[in-house]
């Protein structure tokens, strides 16, 4: 009788080890998935922050165009190629704004960059009564 009980204890131990192995594999998989999700969310937030910085750069360029006639003339003269209007630092990102005139509209491209990511925002600008304003955003 003792031999039978000892053999059954060994089978229970093997089943226990198998169950423990399955739990370890499941927990490792869940850890890998959550780590991937966290890094994806981090990249999304970084790109979103850069896009906001690029939009802020476009808004700042419009303010400068309204305040300084030479900046406005530079943007209006950019018919053949893109012209760099300004470069600013926004937190960890650097933002550069380019202008290009197409017909009666001026396209302002804000490019936000950091060491890993980049994002852009394009604002279509029109002049109304001597003042420049965004007509719409291109996505």
């Amino acid at each position: 009788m003792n031999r039978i009980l000892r053999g059954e204890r060994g089978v229970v131990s093997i089943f226990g080890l198998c169950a423990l192995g399955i739990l370890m594999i499941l927990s490792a998989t869940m850890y890998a998935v959550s780590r991937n999700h966290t890094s994806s969310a981090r990249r999304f937030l970084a790109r979103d922050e850069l896009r906001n910085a690029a939009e802020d750069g476009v808004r700042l360029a419009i303010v400068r165009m309204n305040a300084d006639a030479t900046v406005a003339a530079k943007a209006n003269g950019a018919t053949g190629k893109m012209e760099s209007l300004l470069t600013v630092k926004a937190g960890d990102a650097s933002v550069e704004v380019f202008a290009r005139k197409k017909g009666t509209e001026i396209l302002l491209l804000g490019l936000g960059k950091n060491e890993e990511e980049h994002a852009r925002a394009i604002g279509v600008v029109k002049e109304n009564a001597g003042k420049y304003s965004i007509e719409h955003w291109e996505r």
Side-chain angles (χ1 to χ4, degrees), residues 1-12:
M1 190 67 149
N2 280 341
R3 288 184 186 168
I4 295 173
L5 290 177
R6 287 184 190 155
E8 288 177 2
R9 285 185 195 153
V11 171
V12 171

Side-chain angles (χ1 to χ4, degrees), residues 47-119:
R47 272 190 238 119
D48 196 45
E49 182 180 328
L50 285 175
R51 190 180 70 242
N52 288 339
E55 287 177 1
D56 290 345
V58 169
R59 289 184 185 100
L60 180 62
I62 291 172
V63 168
R64 291 208 181 153
M65 286 171 63
N66 287 328
D68 189 0
T70 58
V71 176
K74 190 175 183 181
N76 278 314
T79 56
K81 62 180 175 110
M82 293 190 88
E83 191 74 39
S84 178
L85 285 186
L86 65 102
T87 303
V88 293
K89 189 84 171 155
D92 293 337
S94 65
V95 178
E96 191 166 6
V97 180
F98 299 94
R100 172 104 191 256
K101 184 157 185 174
K102 295 202 109 178
T104 60
E105 301 173 336
I106 299 172
L107 301 176
L108 293 180
L109 168 68
L111 185 63
K113 295 184 278 188
N114 66 12
E115 60 274 349
E116 299 170 356
E117 300 284 336
H118 69 280

